[in-house]
C-alpha cells in the first residue's frame, strides 16, 4: 500500500503541476500577454488540458486505486491520504465516463460560442447567439447521458461545480430565499439618489487605499500579486503564489469592493494547509464555498459599519475632494444602497440572489423542455419584472449579459447564491464564537476572523465534500435562514 | 504519407506547446512570480520537461519517422515538411540515446549546484564549488558516452548548442581570433578615463529613450513586452508573443545596450515564418546564430557612429544634465571604450572574444584531463594575464563569475564568440548588398537591415543546420576574417 500510495501521489502531483500551469497560462493571457499571442495560447491551453486529462483517466491510476481500495479503510477518514484517495477516485470515475470526443466537442463548441456571444451582446441580438446556445445545451444533454446516478439531469451539471449537491436541495433553499427576498427588496428599495455621487476618485489613491485594506486582510507581496484585468478574477499558481486582479473606475469605488471580493477567494486558496500542496486537495472545496469567502470579505466585512468606522477617516484623507463633505453615514448608505437593477454583477446584497434564482430556474426549465430556447428573452424580461420590478429594455441588458452559457458553464450560476447562503451560516457561527469581532473590525483588526476561517475551513482544502464541510464548520445542513437573518439585520426597514 | 505527416505534426505541435509553456513558466519565474511560488515552480518546470521529453522519445514518433523515411526524398529539401522531418529525426535520435535516469541526474545535479555556486561566488571561494563542478563534469562525460559519432568528446557537448559544429572547426577559428585580438587589444586599449563619466541618467528617461530606439528596430507592443529582470534575457512564448527583459543602472546606459541586445534575440524569434508556428522549427537556428543577432543590434548597430549621429541629440535632450557638455565624439568614444577587464559580461567588443576563448580552452583541457579541476583558479588567472593583461584578485572576479558551469552548460560559452564571427560575416555581406545602410542609420531607419535579415536568416527558423545557413546567408563557410576586419575598422589605432 505504501508503494501504491507513493505512486499515486507522484502521478497526481504531476497532474496537479499541469493544472496549475494551465492556471498560469490563463492568468497570463488575461493580464500580461500581448494580443499577438492569443492564437497560440489557445492551443497551449488545449494541449495542457488534454495531457492532464489523459493522465488522470489513465488505466494506471485505475490500477493504483484498485490496489488501494482494500487497505483504504485502515486509514483515518480525516487523514490527508484517505481524503486524497477519495477525491482522486471520484474524479477518475467521473472523467472515465465521458468519451474524450464529447469532451473535445464541448471545449470546441464553447470556444466557438464565445466570439458569437460577444458580437450578439454588442448588437443586443439574442437570435445571433441562439444556434451556439442550442449547441451548448445539446452537448450538456449528451454529457448528462454519460451518467446514471442522478435524481434529475441538472444534478449532473451542478456536481461539476458543487460536488454532491442535489438540485432538489438547491431548489428548496432558493424557493425560501425567493419567498423572503422578493418582499424584502420591495420594502428596502431606496428612492432618490445615493448620498455620495458625482465625485471623482483618482486612481493612484484607489490603488494605495485598497492595498492598505487588503494587507490588513492578509495580502502579502511575498506570496501574492495584484494586477489589473478587464474581467477581474483570482488565480492560485501555488499555495504560496496567489494572484488577484481588479479594475478601477473614475467615479466610484467598485474597484475596491471587487478587490476585497477577489482577496476573499485568494485567502481561501492561500489558507489551504501546505501539507496538501501538489495534490488536487489544494483548492477550495467548491465554487459555493469559494463564493462564500469572496462575498463575506467583500460584503459582510467590507460593506459593514464597523469596517467603515475604522477606514472612513483614511478614505476621506485619501480622497478629500470627493468625501470631505460626506459623513460616515452618507458613505455607509451609499455603498449599501438597495436599488433593483438589470445587471447581476452590479447588484446589491439585497437583490443579488434574485438574479441567480432567475437563471437557475431557467436552466432547469430549458433542460426539462418546459420552455424553448427561443422564448428565453421574453421569459427573462417577464421574470425580472416579477422578481425585481425592473424590465430590461434590450437583450444586452437582459439575457445576453453573462458569458457563462456561452462558455458552456450551465449549472454554475446557482453556486453564487449558495455562496451567500453558506456565508450566512458561517457568519452566524463565527459571530457567536468571536463575540467582539465587530469591535475588532473597528480597530482595523481582522486576524480573529481569518484565524477562525483558517482553522475551520481554509486549511481543509478539498478534503471533504461541501455537505460534510457545512456540517463540520457550522454544525448543521445547508440552511438559508442565517443569510436571511443577516439581510433583515442589515436592512431593518424591510424586517 | 499524408496521414503520417499529419500525425507527426499533431504530436510535435503538442510537444512544442509544452516547450513554449515551459518558457512562459521560466519567464514568469524571473519577472512576475512572488518569491513564495519558487518551490512549486521548480516542480512544475520539471513536470513539463519530463512530459515533453517522454512525448518526444515515444515509440510512436519513431514509427511515424520510419513511415516517412521512404517517401521523404520526394519532398523538396527546402520545404517546411522536409525540414521538420529532418529536425525531428535528429532530435528523436539524440534524445533516445540518453537514458532518462541520466537526464534526470543531470537536471538534479544542476539544480543542486546552483545555490552552491551562488554562495561560493559570494564568499569568493572556489573550493566550495569544486565538488558540484566535479559532479557536473562527470555527468557530462557519461552523457558523451551515450554517443559514438564524434571526432572528440567536446563535439557532443557543443552539438546541443551549435548543432553539427565540430570542435576542430571552432578551435581553428578561435586560434585565428586569438592571434589577432591579443595584439589588437594591447594596441587599442585606452589610457585614462572615458570622456563621459560621473553623471546620472534618471530611470524614467532611460525607459522612454530605449522604447524610442527599439520601436525603430521593430518592437511593437501588440506582439512584444518589455519588463525588468535581475538577469536579463529574451523569451518567445509564440512567434507573436516576444518578451524582452532588461535592467537599469543610475550611472550608465548599459541598460540601453542590454535592451538592444535582447531586442536582437527577439527580432530573430519574431521574424520566423508564421508557417512554422507550433513546430520546433519556430526558433533561431542555434545559439551562435542567436548571438550573432543580439550582438549585431547591440554593437554593430547600437554602438555605431551613424546610429549615434541620429540618436545623440535626442539622448542629450533626454538627459540634459548628464550630456549637455558632451560632444557626439565624447559619447561615441565612451560607449566604445577599450579596456581589458575581469568580467566577461562587461567586456567591450575588442576584448570580448578573448574571455570566451579562455573558457573554451579550459573546458577542453578539463575534458581531456590535461588539467585538473583543482588547478582551475590558478590557470584562469594566468590566462587572463596572458590574453588580456589583467589578473583577477579573487575567485569571484575570476573563475566563479559565470553561472554556466553551475547549471551544467558545458560547451555553451563558445557560441558567444561564434555569434561574433557569424555577425561579422553577415555584416560584410549586407553592407555590400545595402550600400547606403549607414546613411539610413543616420536617418533613424533600420528597415533595410531588418528586411535583409528577415529574408536571408530570420524566416528560416531552424529549417537548416547552422553550417547550411552560414553558406546560404553569406555564401561561404565559417570564417573569422570579416569580424576581424570589422574590429580593425572600428579600432583604427590597432590596425
Amino acid at each position: 500500500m505504501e508503494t501504491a500510495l507513493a505512486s499515486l501521489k507522484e502521478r497526481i502531483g504531476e497532474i496537479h503541476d499541469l493544472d496549475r500551469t494551465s492556471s498560469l497560462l490563463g492568468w497570463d493571457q488575461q493580464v500580461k500577454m500581448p494580443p499577438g499571442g492569443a492564437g497560440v495560447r489557445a492551443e497551449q491551453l488545449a494541449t495542457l488540458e488534454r495531457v492532464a486529462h489523459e493522465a488522470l483517466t489513465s488505466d494506471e491510476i485505475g490500477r493504483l486505486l484498485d490496489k488501494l481500495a482494500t487497505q483504504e479503510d485502515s486509514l483515518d477518514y480525516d487523514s490527508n491520504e484517505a481524503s486524497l484517495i477519495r477525491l482522486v477516485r471520484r474524479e477518475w470515475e467521473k472523467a472515465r465516463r465521458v468519451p474524450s470526443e464529447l469532451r473535445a466537442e464541448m471545449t470546441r463548441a464553447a470556444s466557438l460560442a464565445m466570439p458569437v456571444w460577444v458580437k450578439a451582446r454588442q448588437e443586443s441580438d439574442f437570435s445571433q447567439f441562439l444556434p451556439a446556445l442550442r449547441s451548448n445545451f445539446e452537448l450538456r444533454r449528451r454529457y448528462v447521458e454519460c451518467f446514471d446516478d442522478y435524481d434529475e439531469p441538472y444534478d449532473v451539471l451542478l456536481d461539476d461545480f458543487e460536488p454532491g449537491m442535489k438540485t432538489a436541495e438547491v431548489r428548496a433553499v432558493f424557493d425560501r430565499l425567493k419567498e423572503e427576498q422578493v418582499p424584502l427588496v420591495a420594502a428596502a428599495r431606496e428612492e432618490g439618489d445615493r448620498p455620495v455621487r458625482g465625485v471623482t476618485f483618482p486612481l493612484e489613491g484607489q490603488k494605495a487605499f485598497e492595498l492598505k485594506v487588503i494587507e490588513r486582510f492578509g495580502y502579502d507581496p511575498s506570496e501574492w500579486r495584484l494586477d489589473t484585468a478587464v474581467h477581474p478574477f483570482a488565480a492560485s499558481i501555488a499555495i504560496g503564489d496567489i494572484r488577484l486582479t481588479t479594475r478601477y473606475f473614475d467615479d466610484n469605488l467598485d474597484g475596491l469592493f471587487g478587490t476585497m471580493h477577489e482577496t476573499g477567494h485568494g485567502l481561501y486558496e492561500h489558507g489551504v494547509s501546505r501539507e496538501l500542496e501538489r495534490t488536487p486537495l489544494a483548492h477550495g472545496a467548491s465554487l459555493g464555498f469559494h463564493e462564500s469567502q469572496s462575498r463575506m470579505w467583500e460584503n459582510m466585512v467590507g460593506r459593514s459599519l464597523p469596517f467603515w468606522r475604522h477606514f472612513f477617516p483614511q478614505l476621506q484623507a485619501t480622497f478629500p475632494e470627493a468625501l470631505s463633505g460626506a459623513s460616515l453615514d452618507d458613505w455607509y448608505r451609499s455603498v449599501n444602497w438597495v436599488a433593483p437593477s438589470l445587471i447581476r454583477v452590479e447588484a446589491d446584497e439585497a437583490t443579488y440572489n434574485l438574479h441567480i434564482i432567475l437563471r437557475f430556474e431557467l436552466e432547469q426549465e430549458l433542460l426539462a423542455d418546459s420552455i424553448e430556447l427561443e422564448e428565453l428573452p421574453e421569459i427573462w424580461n417577464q421574470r425580472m419584472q416579477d422578481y425585481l420590478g425592473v424590465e430590461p429594455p434590450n437583450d444586452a441588458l437582459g439575457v445576453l449579459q453573462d458569458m457563462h452559457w456561452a462558455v458552456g458553464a450551465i449549472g454554475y450560476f446557482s453556486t453564487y447564491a449558495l455562496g451567500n447562503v453558506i456565508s450566512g451560516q458561517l457568519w452566524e457561527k463565527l459571530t457567536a464564537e468571536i463575540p467582539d469581532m465587530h469591535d475588532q473590525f473597528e480597530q482595523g483588526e481582522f486576524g480573529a476572523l481569518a484565524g477562525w476561517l483558517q482553522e475551520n475551513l481554509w486549511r481543509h482544502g478539498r478534503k471533504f465534500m461541501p455537505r460534510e464541510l457545512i456540517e463540520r464548520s457550522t454544525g448543521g445542513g445547508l440552511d438559508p435562514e442565517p443569510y436571511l437573518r443577516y439581510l433583515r439585520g442589515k436592512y431593518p426597514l424591510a424586517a
Side-chain angles (χ1 to χ4, degrees), chain A residues 25 29 37-51:
Chain A
L25 287 172
Q29 182 177 38
V40 170
R41 180 57 49 89
E43 301 281 356
Q44 291 164 344
L45 278 163
T47 292
L48 265 281
E49 193 194 334
R50 196 192 54 69
V51 173

Side-chain angles (χ1 to χ4, degrees), chain A residues 59-285:
Chain A
D59 295 343
E60 178 61 14
I61 298 274
R63 272 193 294 274
L64 291 170
L65 288 170
D66 280 349
K67 275 193 197 166
L68 289 165
T70 49
Q71 297 113 318
E72 196 178 337
D73 295 339
S74 66
L75 290 168
D76 177 12
Y77 184 89
D78 287 12
S79 69
N80 296 340
E81 290 70 24
S83 303
L84 179 68
I85 296 168
R86 283 198 304 275
L87 180 62
V88 173
R89 172 166 292 119
R90 191 171 200 283
E91 298 207 323
W92 187 84
E93 284 172 357
K94 278 191 75 169
R96 291 276 286 201
R97 282 177 170 270
V98 184
S100 50
E101 305 79 51
L102 175 57
R103 187 171 298 274
E105 218 175 317
M106 287 164 73
T107 304
R108 197 169 56 247
S111 316
L112 292 173
M114 188 69 187
V116 175
W117 167 74
V118 169
K119 181 163 171 290
R121 189 173 70 152
Q122 264 164 6
E123 301 177 9
S124 196
D125 177 6
F126 178 74
S127 68
Q128 288 184 31
F129 182 48
L130 184 57
L133 183 61
R134 191 183 306 284
S135 163
N136 276 347
F137 265 90
E138 284 313 313
L139 286 164
R140 273 11 179 231
R141 285 178 203 274
R142 285 176 53 197
Y143 180 72
V144 169
E145 282 166 16
C146 300
F147 298 86
D148 49 24
D149 52 345
Y150 54 84
D151 301 329
E152 40 191 314
Y154 194 82
D155 287 355
V156 175
L157 304 182
L158 187 60
D159 192 85
D160 283 352
F161 308 112
E162 205 62 31
M165 186 68 72
K166 295 292 175 194
T167 313
E169 294 174 276
V170 176
R171 190 183 297 119
V173 167
F174 283 9
D175 283 348
R176 175 75 186 121
L177 291 177
K178 193 164 68 172
E179 179 184 19
E180 289 283 317
Q181 282 192 250
V182 171
L184 182 147
V185 167
R189 73 183 295 169
E190 315 243 19
E191 299 300 330
D193 286 323
R194 288 165 211 257
V196 178
R197 63 182 185 282
V199 294
T200 299
F201 298 95
L203 258 55
E204 287 315 305
Q206 293 194 40
K207 291 179 185 180
F209 182 80
E210 73 179 6
L211 271 180
K212 271 197 257 180
V213 170
I214 64 176
E215 280 174 0
R216 303 313 295 260
F217 289 0
Y219 178 95
D220 165 359
S222 77
E223 299 200 327
W224 301 62
R225 283 187 62 88
L226 174 60
D227 297 89
T228 56
V230 178
H231 300 289
F233 63 100
S236 65
I237 314 303
I239 296 175
D241 181 356
I242 303 294
R243 307 195 180 190
L244 311 179
T245 64
T246 191
R247 57 182 169 175
Y248 304 98
F249 305 90
D250 260 338
D251 63 344
N252 63 58
L253 286 190
D254 287 357
L256 166 67
F257 292 100
T259 302
M260 291 194 283
H261 182 98
E262 301 308 335
T263 303
H265 286 302
L267 285 167
Y268 193 3
E269 295 279 319
H270 186 260
V272 173
S273 166
R274 304 263 160 150
E275 293 171 0
L276 305 181
E277 185 57 288
R278 290 194 75 229
T279 78
L281 301 171
H283 282 299

Side-chain angles (χ1 to χ4, degrees), chain A residues 139-431:
Chain A
L139 286 164
R140 273 11 179 231
R141 285 178 203 274
R142 285 176 53 197
Y143 180 72
V144 169
E145 282 166 16
C146 300
F147 298 86
D148 49 24
D149 52 345
Y150 54 84
D151 301 329
E152 40 191 314
Y154 194 82
D155 287 355
V156 175
L157 304 182
L158 187 60
D159 192 85
D160 283 352
F161 308 112
E162 205 62 31
M165 186 68 72
K166 295 292 175 194
T167 313
E169 294 174 276
V170 176
R171 190 183 297 119
V173 167
F174 283 9
D175 283 348
R176 175 75 186 121
L177 291 177
K178 193 164 68 172
E179 179 184 19
E180 289 283 317
Q181 282 192 250
V182 171
L184 182 147
V185 167
R189 73 183 295 169
E190 315 243 19
E191 299 300 330
D193 286 323
R194 288 165 211 257
V196 178
R197 63 182 185 282
V199 294
T200 299
F201 298 95
L203 258 55
E204 287 315 305
Q206 293 194 40
K207 291 179 185 180
F209 182 80
E210 73 179 6
L211 271 180
K212 271 197 257 180
V213 170
I214 64 176
E215 280 174 0
R216 303 313 295 260
F217 289 0
Y219 178 95
D220 165 359
S222 77
E223 299 200 327
W224 301 62
R225 283 187 62 88
L226 174 60
D227 297 89
T228 56
V230 178
H231 300 289
F233 63 100
S236 65
I237 314 303
I239 296 175
D241 181 356
I242 303 294
R243 307 195 180 190
L244 311 179
T245 64
T246 191
R247 57 182 169 175
Y248 304 98
F249 305 90
D250 260 338
D251 63 344
N252 63 58
L253 286 190
D254 287 357
L256 166 67
F257 292 100
T259 302
M260 291 194 283
H261 182 98
E262 301 308 335
T263 303
H265 286 302
L267 285 167
Y268 193 3
E269 295 279 319
H270 186 260
V272 173
S273 166
R274 304 263 160 150
E275 293 171 0
L276 305 181
E277 185 57 288
R278 290 194 75 229
T279 78
L281 301 171
H283 282 299
S286 69
L287 290 186
F289 263 100
H290 243 296
E291 203 68 10
S292 82
Q293 295 309 287
S294 55
R295 292 189 64 84
M296 181 184 287
W297 288 89
E298 174 194 353
N299 294 326
M300 293 169 157
V301 177
R303 292 185 202 266
S304 72
L305 194 55
F307 175 93
W308 285 113
R309 283 209 183 100
H310 177 77
F311 278 113
F312 187 65
Q314 294 179 45
L315 191 73
Q316 274 184 313
T318 310
F319 303 109
E321 214 165 305
L323 298 179
S324 60
S327 67
L328 170 62
D329 185 62
D330 289 339
W331 179 249
Y332 177 74
R333 283 179 59 214
S334 296
V335 300
N336 286 289
W337 198 253
V338 177
S341 61
L342 298 170
I343 301 296
R344 174 184 62 85
V345 296
E346 296 166 5
D348 56 75
E349 281 182 276
T351 57
Y352 189 89
N353 283 343
L354 298 176
H355 289 268
I356 299 307
I357 292 168
L358 176 150
R359 288 158 176 77
F360 169 76
E361 291 176 351
L362 291 177
E363 285 177 340
Q364 286 185 86
E365 292 165 43
L366 286 166
L367 282 174
D369 284 326
S370 63
I371 61 173
E372 295 294 321
L373 280 167
E374 288 83 348
E375 302 173 273
L376 259 189
E378 193 190 335
I379 299 177
W380 180 289
N381 295 351
Q382 182 56 51
R383 296 266 171 97
M384 284 296 288
Q385 181 69 50
D386 295 345
Y387 296 173
L388 286 161
V390 292
E391 197 176 336
N394 59 46
D395 294 345
L397 295 169
V399 67
L400 287 176
Q401 67 183 266
D402 296 302
M403 78 163 77
H404 298 59
W405 290 343
V407 301
I410 298 161
Y412 187 119
F413 281 119
S414 52
T415 65
Y416 292 127
L418 289 174
N420 283 332
V421 168
I422 295 167
S423 75
Q425 295 185 256
L426 292 168
W427 198 247
E428 204 158 83
K429 180 82 175 171
L430 55 81
T431 309

